Amino acid sequence: MENFPKDIYTEPEPDADTLANLGPLTGMAGIWEGARGLDVNPKPDGPERQVFIERMELQPIDAQTNGPQLFYGLRYHTRIVKPDDVETFHDQVGYWLWEPATGTVIQTLSIPRGQAAMAVGHAEPGARTFRLQAVRGSETNGIVSNPFLEYAFKTESYTITVSIHGDGTWSYEQDTVLIIPGQAEPFHHTDHNTLHKIGEPTPNPTAQAATAAKARGVLIRTAT
């Protein structure tokens, strides 16, 4: 049993500026593209290696609380296509969350093939690399799938390792372990890519409101 507080209702007063409180997620905020992704996925005749192009947007959200628990985070959407193809190869939405009090990092993800997961890990505020995992059957970092995926491509675990680089890029490596009928061994469905920033993040609503209020105050004092 974790050492949770007895008072489960009283909420803290969060900082309005999410971008200043993202801890290890700081280097991921913004709009990104990566043109050298590689996906290794299962096919009847063996693994298929597919290169891909990715566009990912990660925007700060207002701080979130569960009683005394406080998260700062990024809402994200990634869209992936094959080179020279307009059709979506992979689409995914979710949140990256940082809990400063415990050093917990969470990724929630949902894909439009009837699957969702929550991966959890821990990192120091200034960490340049961190690892998260979701595992089958867990009540706190689990995976849920539609009945066909449970039958044909049963997901045992999902692991993602993020690395923030000194040149302003960041990269990820994913390993999704699948149980597939007729295959003697689990299949490691892997993905990796390096992302380059093409746009800055938009401050979260409370940060924008605080900036606007401060500007109005400066204008009033200047006018008088």
Side-chain angles (χ1 to χ4, degrees):
M1 185 70 176
E2 296 197 35
N3 186 27
F4 294 123
K6 291 183 178 180
D7 178 0
I8 61 172
Y9 296 103
T10 303
E11 298 180 356
E13 185 64 35
D15 190 331
D17 187 0
T18 293
L19 286 170
N21 292 277
L22 287 171
L25 306 179
T26 300
M28 298 168 63
I31 305 171
W32 306 82
E33 281 189 353
R36 293 188 172 184
L38 180 65
D39 172 87
V40 180
N41 60 82
K43 296 297 181 186
D45 299 327
E48 176 189 64
R49 298 168 65 86
Q50 175 63 60
V51 297
F52 63 81
I53 298 169
E54 180 171 12
R55 185 184 189 277
M56 186 183 299
E57 184 166 353
L58 298 105
Q59 296 289 2
I61 59 172
D62 287 341
Q64 302 293 304
T65 59
N66 297 310
Q69 186 178 49
L70 172 64
F71 286 113
Y72 295 96
L74 299 166
R75 179 184 62 254
Y76 78 92
H77 175 217
T78 184
R79 180 176 180 265
I80 293 173
V81 298
K82 299 176 184 179
D84 303 317
D85 197 349
V86 69
E87 182 180 1
T88 301
F89 179 58
H90 180 80
D91 195 275
Q92 183 174 310
V93 297
Y95 294 92
W96 282 92
L97 303 173
W98 163 245
E99 185 181 16
T102 64
T104 299
V105 183
I106 294 175
Q107 181 198 22
T108 66
L109 64 94
S110 180
I111 60 176
R113 296 194 296 276
Q115 190 172 55
M118 186 167 80
V120 177
H122 289 83
E124 295 297 323
R128 307 294 288 181
T129 184
F130 47 92
R131 176 179 176 271
L132 287 69
Q133 188 173 55
V135 295
R136 180 177 180 80
S138 173
E139 294 182 348
T140 57
N141 60 317
I143 301 162
V144 291
S145 306
N146 81 69
F148 175 77
L149 288 179
E150 277 291 288
Y151 160 73
F153 302 98
K154 184 180 295 183
T155 303
E156 288 291 294
S157 66
Y158 160 83
T159 304
I160 182 168
T161 302
V162 171
S163 298
I164 312 295
H165 306 296
D167 63 357
T169 66
W170 67 277
S171 60
Y172 66 84
E173 296 185 3
Q174 292 178 189
D175 182 11
T176 304
V177 180
L178 305 174
I179 304 299
I180 302 174
Q183 295 199 11
E185 300 293 332
F187 183 90
H188 289 261
H189 180 174
T190 61
D191 296 272
H192 66 79
N193 205 358
T194 298
L195 297 156
H196 302 259
K197 183 177 281 189
I198 61 169
E200 295 297 327
T202 300
N204 56 293
T206 55
Q208 294 183 50
T211 299
K214 184 177 180 180
R216 288 196 299 271
V218 169
L219 288 173
I220 291 171
R221 286 194 294 271
T222 300
T224 56

